Amino acid sequence: MLTVTTNDIPGHRVVKTLGVVRGITVRSRNAISDMVGGVQSILGGRVGVYVKLAEAARQEAYDELIAHAREMGANAVLAMRYDANEIMPGITEVLAYGTAVVIEPEA
């Protein structure tokens, strides 16, 4: 599945637009990651435990996006974006969204 953040793909043309696709996940921190993150934040610099948590949430949302696009018959997703919202302290929704399309190489 070709996925891009742009509105078109050089060398390809969109033959069918299928609509908006999305993948959503909701993740929470846990006591251990909060403890490790707290220590790392005191020391300064990169807080690796939270980076791992954020990346896992983004990957899960992305995987859901791709599954949704495949279900619709797409072979590409245009204008893919991420969004995140804190639902309540320590619980975050991550959304991946874009436009599912069918593309083919230009002649």
Side-chain angles (χ1 to χ4, degrees):
M1 178 76 58
L2 186 56
T3 306
V4 297
T5 58
T6 55
N7 293 327
D8 57 7
I9 301 171
H12 294 80
R13 65 185 182 96
V14 174
V15 294
K16 188 172 186 181
T17 300
L18 302 171
V20 174
V21 286
R22 81 286 176 265
I24 301 169
T25 190
V26 177
R27 291 297 198 101
S28 66
R29 299 185 316 242
N30 63 49
I32 294 171
S33 65
D34 278 348
M35 184 175 60
V36 172
V39 170
Q40 288 179 332
S41 68
I42 290 169
L43 300 173
R46 179 183 167 113
V47 184
V49 68
Y50 290 139
V51 171
K52 281 186 172 183
L53 182 63
E55 183 54 37
R58 286 187 196 102
Q59 186 64 53
E60 191 172 310
Y62 178 80
D63 291 345
E64 292 287 327
L65 167 82
I66 297 304
H68 189 202
R70 283 196 175 113
E71 288 170 10
M72 293 178 71
N75 65 356
V77 176
L78 301 179
M80 188 269 177
R81 303 283 188 270
Y82 286 106
D83 194 10
N85 298 294
E86 189 173 53
I87 293 173
M88 59 186 296
I91 299 178
T92 303
E93 167 202 43
V94 176
L95 168 68
Y97 63 96
T99 302
V101 296
V102 176
I103 59 169
E104 63 182 30
E106 292 179 339

